[in-house]
Amino acid sequence: MSEPLLEVTNLEKFFPVSGPGMFSRERGTNKAVNGLSFTLKQGETLGLVGESGCGKSTAGRTVLKLYDPTSGSIKFEGEEIADYSPRKMKPLRTQMQMIFQDPQASLNPRQTVGAIISASYEVHKIKPEGGVKTAVQDLLERVGLSAEHFDRYPHEFSGGQRQRIGIARALALKPKFIVCDEPVSALDVSIQAQVVNLLSDLRDDFGLSYLFIAHDLSVVQHIADRVAVMYLGKIMEIAPTSSIYTAPHHPYTKALLSAVPIPDPKLERKREQIVLSGELPSPMKPPTGCVFSTRCWKAQAKCFTEEPQLRKVESSEVACHFPE
């Protein structure tokens, strides 16, 4: 069996939280990512889903070392990179890229599209065959734009076109791994499918591996090979896409799926939607035992004292004492 492209083990990213004022003391720690473990194979897409504030985006940025991890292991192509300095990470940046959530905020409004994309070549001192301009124009055409867009500015494009520019920038250095941080959540629904289809085609053409972060399970269903469900900094369930949507084992996964609308009025009216009670606990003070215990309708005494570990249940791995 081939070695995974990416292997993350017990990854933690904590942020100190201070009180108001310049000289205030530290009040506590935000445990944004709290013991994350998963693997990703070459050419595979792993969907990372969960409610807003569960730590998905922080996990993606920590895996790319945009944030230094508090603890844990990140292995890329078998190489431990968790403790790498920015200088040591620079050569690896060509292999690990990111597509950001907001295409407008991630593109410099003072630079042309050509300058934005060609910056990757300048930073890494790479001279593509045929010249930088030709390479950038080829990328623009590959993502569904025109070579003539080279000299235009980001404000001249629609949201969907801006995200295509962001995708072209991520592809410029021919990476193996891309973190897609909610790449379609800021786009119109009519454009979302086009961008997801584009990402799927690019993955197949270039053998890319994606960590596809989203809060919309229906979007992830169309691109992911496996789905990891995250809650309060931890993975609750990880399973093949083919099984997690039809037979979820974790109560939280079941609750999330019950909120995804079915495009059939008769089935939608008959279906029972699970409404979780209470609010998402603070990541500064996560519950003891199972982090989902305060909102779970199946919680028993054991759930409040003993933290469940991921264990095999049919084709899934589930962190639950009483899985479905």
Side-chain angles (χ1 to χ4, degrees):
M1 188 176 178
S2 61
E3 191 176 66
L5 177 73
L6 179 72
E7 188 174 3
V8 176
T9 309
N10 293 325
L11 185 67
E12 293 183 340
K13 179 56 186 173
F14 297 169
F15 296 96
V17 179
S18 302
M22 188 181 296
F23 303 105
S24 58
R25 293 182 179 179
E26 190 176 308
R27 289 194 309 168
T29 303
N30 181 340
K31 298 178 180 179
V33 177
N34 194 4
L36 214 64
S37 297
F38 63 85
T39 58
L40 185 67
K41 292 184 289 188
Q42 182 70 48
E44 184 185 27
T45 299
L46 175 66
L48 189 62
V49 300
E51 290 175 275
S52 295
C54 71
K56 307 184 298 295
S57 293
T58 302
R61 288 166 188 254
T62 307
V63 166
L64 285 181
K65 290 276 290 169
L66 298 180
Y67 296 146
D68 284 326
T70 303
S71 67
S73 168
I74 306 168
K75 287 184 179 178
F76 184 75
E77 294 189 311
E79 187 177 351
E80 180 60 65
I81 65 170
D83 57 352
Y84 272 19
S85 64
R87 180 179 290 182
K88 206 170 181 183
M89 274 299 298
K90 188 176 178 181
L92 280 174
R93 294 288 178 210
T94 60
Q95 301 300 307
M96 307 167 76
Q97 289 290 309
M98 186 167 190
I99 299 168
F100 295 91
Q101 178 177 356
D102 186 349
Q104 185 167 356
S106 67
L107 302 177
N108 189 335
R110 295 176 180 271
Q111 290 188 329
T112 62
V113 169
I116 289 169
I117 299 174
S118 61
S120 301
Y121 299 119
E122 293 171 16
V123 169
H124 291 277
K125 296 179 172 58
I126 292 173
K127 294 181 179 179
E129 190 177 340
V132 171
K133 185 171 183 179
T134 301
V136 172
Q137 288 178 328
D138 288 345
L139 281 168
L140 289 172
E141 291 181 342
R142 184 63 191 84
V143 298
L145 297 173
S146 168
E148 297 173 0
H149 292 152
F150 184 89
D151 293 316
R152 293 190 185 178
Y153 288 86
H155 73 268
E156 299 179 67
F157 296 90
S158 67
Q161 288 175 321
R162 286 191 202 113
Q163 193 58 292
R164 289 172 188 267
I165 295 166
I167 293 169
R169 177 175 58 185
L171 287 174
L173 299 174
K174 299 180 180 178
K176 294 180 180 178
F177 169 57
I178 299 179
V179 172
C180 306
D181 186 10
E182 304 212 32
V184 298
S185 63
L187 307 179
D188 292 341
V189 175
S190 59
I191 306 298
Q192 288 184 2
Q194 296 176 20
V195 174
V196 170
N197 288 338
L198 171 64
L199 288 168
S200 184
D201 291 342
L202 292 170
R203 176 193 61 187
D204 297 340
D205 291 348
F206 298 111
L208 299 168
S209 299
Y210 293 145
L211 178 63
F212 195 99
I213 298 167
H215 62 266
D216 188 342
L217 274 80
S218 59
V219 170
V220 172
Q221 185 174 7
H222 298 290
I223 192 169
D225 300 299
R226 291 184 298 139
V227 177
V229 180
M230 197 170 171
Y231 182 83
L232 214 64
K234 294 181 179 290
I235 288 179
M236 299 287 98
E237 180 170 4
I238 186 165
T241 307
S242 56
S243 63
I244 200 166
Y245 286 87
T246 54
H249 293 290
H250 199 284
Y252 180 60
T253 310
K254 198 171 182 182
L256 285 181
L257 287 170
S258 78
V260 177
I262 298 173
D264 185 327
K266 290 182 180 178
L267 288 175
E268 184 65 37
R269 279 194 288 269
K270 290 178 183 176
R271 188 175 63 142
E272 179 190 358
Q273 185 172 343
I274 300 169
V275 180
L276 297 176
S277 60
E279 296 291 327
L280 187 72
S282 168
M284 286 178 64
K285 292 183 179 179
T288 55
C290 175
V291 290
F292 187 58
S293 59
T294 57
R295 303 174 76 190
C296 183
W297 63 94
K298 297 184 72 174
Q300 299 182 30
K302 182 180 183 181
C303 303
F304 295 97
T305 57
E306 188 178 326
E307 182 181 344
Q309 302 300 314
L310 283 170
R311 61 189 176 95
K312 196 79 174 171
V313 179
E314 295 180 357
S315 60
S316 303
E317 287 183 79
V318 188
C320 182
H321 294 303
F322 309 102
E324 296 283 322

